[in-house]
């Protein structure tokens, strides 16, 4: 109910979410040791594993998104509106469950940081608003929501910058976590971190959105997505390069 959000924005967001949830599902299956047995995750669940929980979260989210899209297309607005809060809950869970999955990799101390979950949630807000801003170039029906989307993106970028400063500016409890942080802030990944993540992905988009030009906001959206890609790449790779013994 904030701003002038239209049905077109909602349907566009749902379709984008379904497309990328589909990509996520394919990648998760491919990543299994025995991809042909992926359905075992659902029919023989190990509930202590966030891989299983994530599979059910993604499945539930996909079902809710599909129901919302069908209800919107056929004009069943009452039923569609009842789905808003369940979809929000599952959207949040989908955005953050990987943080808990990483935390189960006990040998990678850097992934035990509780800020990782918050980081993933804020990244989802930034990525979603950036994607919808770019989509509005092709769908004029979304155009009048650009101000709200730009403000949402700006807020997400500011919070992301604060979380990044906290993660790289504070000490971590173990030596391995500190080594991973140092490789990000001052070592192998430092150029990508400061030029790519902090510069291209955060500082420049914040400045461009603050200026307010529509063209600059679109450029900021592209830069945001590029910065998020680099951020995820670094946060996945850096801890894996720390020897386990």
């Amino acid at each position: 109910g904030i701003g002038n959000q239209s049905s077109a924005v909602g349907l566009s967001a749902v379709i984008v979410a379904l497309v990328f949830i589909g990509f996520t599902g394919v990648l998760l299956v491919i990543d299994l040791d025995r991809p042909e047995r992926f359905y075992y995750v659902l029919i023989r669940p190990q509930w202590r594993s966030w891989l299983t929980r994530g599979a059910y979260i993604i499945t539930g989210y996909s079902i809710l998104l599909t129901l919302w899209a069908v209800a919107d297309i056929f004009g069943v607005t009452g039923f569609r509106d009842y789905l808003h809060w369940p979809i929000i809950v599952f959207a949040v869970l989908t955005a953050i469950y990987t943080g808990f999955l990483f935390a189960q990799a006990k040998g990678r101390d850097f992934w035990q940081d509780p800020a990782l979950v918050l980081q993933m949630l804020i990244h989802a807000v930034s990525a979603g608003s950036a994607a919808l801003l770019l989509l509005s170039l092709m769908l004029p029906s979304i155009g009048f929501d650009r101000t709200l989307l730009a403000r949402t993106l700006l807020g997400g970028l500011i919070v992301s910058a604060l979380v990044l400063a906290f993660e790289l500016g504070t000490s971590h409890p173990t030596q391995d976590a500190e080594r991973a942080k140092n490789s990000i802030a001052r070592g192998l990944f430092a150029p990508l971190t400061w030029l790519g993540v902090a510069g291209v992905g955060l500082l420049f988009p914040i400045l461009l959105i603050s200026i307010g030009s529509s063209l600059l906001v679109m450029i900021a959206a592209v830069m945001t997505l590029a910065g998020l890609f680099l951020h995820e790449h670094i946060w996945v790779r850096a801890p894996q390069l720390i020897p386990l013994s």
Side-chain angles (χ1 to χ4, degrees):
I2 298 175
N4 297 314
Q5 187 190 33
S6 64
S7 174
V9 172
L11 184 59
S12 301
V14 165
I15 292 172
V16 170
L18 280 171
V19 168
F20 282 94
I21 280 292
F23 288 146
T24 301
V26 170
L27 291 173
L28 287 175
V29 170
I30 292 174
D31 194 48
L32 296 173
D33 290 334
R34 297 288 299 273
E36 73 278 7
R37 295 187 175 186
F38 74 93
Y39 58 92
Y40 280 15
V41 175
L42 297 176
I43 66 174
R44 297 181 181 177
Q46 169 53 266
W47 289 112
R48 288 178 294 178
S49 169
W50 273 96
L51 183 65
T52 297
R53 295 174 184 177
Y56 272 90
I57 288 169
I58 289 175
T59 301
Y61 187 39
S62 301
I63 292 171
L64 289 171
L65 289 171
T66 302
L67 289 174
W68 196 100
V70 171
D72 188 74
I73 291 170
F74 288 98
V76 189
T77 56
F79 176 69
R80 180 199 66 188
D81 292 344
Y82 280 120
L83 294 174
H84 281 164
W85 281 107
I87 284 178
I88 289 172
V89 170
F90 271 81
V92 170
L93 291 174
T94 300
I96 67 175
Y97 91 88
T98 306
F100 295 105
L101 179 62
F102 278 11
Q104 285 191 323
K106 299 300 184 182
R108 304 300 179 186
D109 292 357
F110 190 73
W111 289 342
Q112 312 306 313
D113 185 358
L116 187 61
V117 170
L118 174 62
Q119 183 187 91
M120 290 184 172
L121 178 60
I122 301 304
H123 286 180
V125 172
S126 299
S129 51
L132 286 173
L133 277 167
L134 295 174
L135 197 61
S136 72
L137 292 174
M138 296 177 286
L139 299 176
S141 56
I142 303 180
F144 67 86
D145 287 288
R146 285 178 186 162
T147 299
L148 175 61
L149 292 170
R151 289 174 179 172
T152 304
L153 177 56
L154 180 61
L157 290 170
I158 292 172
V159 176
S160 290
L162 294 174
V163 173
L164 179 65
F166 173 80
E167 285 192 299
L168 299 183
T170 56
S171 298
H172 289 259
T174 68
Q175 184 178 9
D176 281 357
E178 275 292 298
R179 290 175 66 187
K181 184 195 78 172
N182 290 335
S183 75
I184 293 171
R186 297 192 293 272
L188 176 64
F189 295 98
L192 279 180
T193 300
W194 299 116
L195 295 178
V197 177
V200 172
L202 292 172
L203 179 59
F204 285 117
I206 288 172
L207 292 175
L208 293 177
I209 295 172
S210 299
I211 293 173
S213 163
S214 296
L215 175 60
L216 295 181
V217 169
M218 295 303 168
I219 295 174
V222 174
M223 296 176 78
T224 296
L225 294 174
L228 288 173
F229 177 84
L230 291 175
H231 191 291
E232 305 304 338
H233 167 72
I234 293 169
W235 254 249
V236 169
R237 291 295 296 142
Q240 291 180 322
L241 297 181
I242 305 300
L244 293 177
S245 61

